[in-house]
Amino acid sequence: MDLIIATSALIVAAPVMIVVVLLIKVTAGGPAVFSHSRVGFGGKPFKCYKFRSMVTNSEEVLKAYLEANPDAGIEWEETHKIRDDPRVTPLGWMLRKSSLDELPQLFNIIRGDMSCVGPRPIVNDELKRYGDHVGEYLRTRPGLTGLWQVSGRSSVDYPSRVALDSQYVRNWSIWLDLAILVRTVFAVMRFDRAS
């Protein structure tokens, strides 16, 4: 199912992906696709692909911003996100809000790194936040979409995100995956449920 859905989606999305690559090149320069190490099935690391939505020197910008804004540092520590992230370009903001930045993850699905539906791909440092539920996270492939993504996404705090990922793994069924895929379509169409 993953291969059929990802391949079909890649064919349909190819023209949009080409336009996004060109827009990134024209507006921001640098590489259009960004890869970052994430934790995969059984704890195996993999390179997760996304369209680049940030400035090229994002690490330096983040460090300077967190030093100058202690409240943002607390938010970053709690959620690994910043509400008004200074690293995100104007085009990047649109890509994130529409979830178009995640289209390159279709290649991750075809490679077998990810699934269409599953827990959100996380970095190694986030594993400790899963506590007793880390085994559940490691029992499945991360997903392009998942229960967290269709349940409020950025408005959901980290403990609730862990609970949703754990709930998904414990209650997995093909019908749950299909329901999440359908809900994803509607969540993507609502900008307030994305990013």
Side-chain angles (χ1 to χ4, degrees), residues 21-121:
V21 167
L22 293 173
L23 286 172
I24 293 171
K25 289 288 188 184
V26 169
T27 61
V33 176
F34 167 79
S35 68
H36 196 262
S37 183
R38 300 294 167 115
V39 179
F41 181 72
K44 181 182 175 185
F46 71 97
K47 291 290 185 187
C48 184
Y49 303 122
K50 289 183 114 179
F51 282 127
R52 188 169 59 83
S53 59
M54 296 185 179
V55 294
T56 52
N57 62 334
S58 61
E59 294 296 323
E60 294 87 0
V61 171
L62 175 64
K63 183 179 177 186
Y65 184 75
L66 294 180
E67 286 173 358
N69 298 278
D71 288 344
I74 294 167
E75 182 183 3
W76 176 257
E77 187 62 34
E78 290 175 356
T79 65
H80 266 262
K81 285 181 175 277
I82 303 172
R83 192 169 294 109
D84 296 312
D85 197 324
R87 302 170 297 168
V88 180
T89 65
L91 174 63
W93 182 86
M94 290 172 47
L95 293 175
R96 287 178 168 210
K97 284 294 180 184
S98 62
S99 296
L100 289 174
D101 65 317
E102 297 180 355
L103 284 176
Q105 290 174 20
L106 292 168
F107 290 107
N108 285 119
I109 295 169
I110 291 169
R111 287 170 42 111
D113 300 324
M114 293 177 63
S115 184
C116 289
V117 182
R120 176 181 170 265

Side-chain angles (χ1 to χ4, degrees), residues 137-184:
Y137 177 85
L138 298 174
R139 268 203 328 250
T140 187
R141 286 179 175 80
L144 177 61
T145 187
L147 195 54
W148 167 70
Q149 289 92 324
V150 298
S151 300
R153 206 166 171 170
S154 290
S155 62
V156 176
D157 63 19
Y158 214 104
S160 298
R161 180 192 307 179
V162 170
L164 287 167
D165 283 347
S166 176
Q167 177 185 339
Y168 168 78
V169 174
R170 285 184 280 107
N171 298 302
W172 180 86
S173 74
I174 192 75
W175 306 113
L176 177 59
D177 277 5
L178 291 173
I180 290 171
L181 286 169
V182 170
R183 288 177 62 189
T184 298

